[in-house]
Amino acid sequence: MKKHILSTILLLIATFLTAVCVAEVAFPESFLTFTDYESLIEKFPKIWKYNIHVGIASLIVSILLVIPAYLKDKEFTIKGLETLFRIGIGGMFIFASLFKIQDPKQFAVLVAQYQFLPDFVNNFFALVYPQFEFWFGLALIVTPFTKECSLAIFGMFVSFIIALIWALALDLGITCGCFELEGAQSKSETWTALIRDLILIGPTFWLTLRKNKSLIGLWRSK
């Protein structure tokens, strides 16, 4: 029982630090609530880099915390990681889909800014893709089809990464459209979106290697 408590505490702290990593990399302004972030960016255009440094440091510490938890209680730690990854990644995709489902026209405009797909495909893509995000994100949490759902999400991450690399290669400097539909942004935001996706694709791939079980069944199995 004591080893479960220790592993749980370490995993919760690691989860918090991972969330800080994603937030610092993807949403640096969210941690500057007492500061005029727009003015800071205007005066110090490279300030976003420091948020990346904090985010990467948080990720490294979270990984280091998982190691003793794994050594202390291997089976419990693996189940805990799978549960956290499924809820975290699935919830993130559900959240990310809502903006696009509510405003498919604006999402289609953003997709067109990538200059990646033929014009006649953009509208169809803007309607269908958010539905994939929502339903596969939901299914990853509530169904036992871990492999299939995580494989689909892994494929979406690959498509995000390819699109972001394409945007950087063309020097487009646009937002990824993951959590906002504001249109053209600075090139630094494209880089931060790419770093975030490269971080998250790792645990998603790990989920594709897990057995198909519901979250309840996962904790019932020995």
Side-chain angles (χ1 to χ4, degrees), residues 18-34:
T18 301
V20 169
C21 168
V22 174
E24 287 284 9
V25 171
F27 315 107
E29 67 277 9
S30 63
F31 285 86
L32 291 172
T33 53
F34 301 104

Side-chain angles (χ1 to χ4, degrees), residues 69-81:
Y70 180 83
L71 295 175
K72 188 72 175 178
D73 192 344
K74 177 180 177 181
E75 183 180 356
F76 181 85
T77 300
I78 290 175
K79 288 181 179 180
L81 287 173

Side-chain angles (χ1 to χ4, degrees), residues 31 42 87 122:
F31 285 86
E42 185 177 344
I87 294 174
N122 289 329

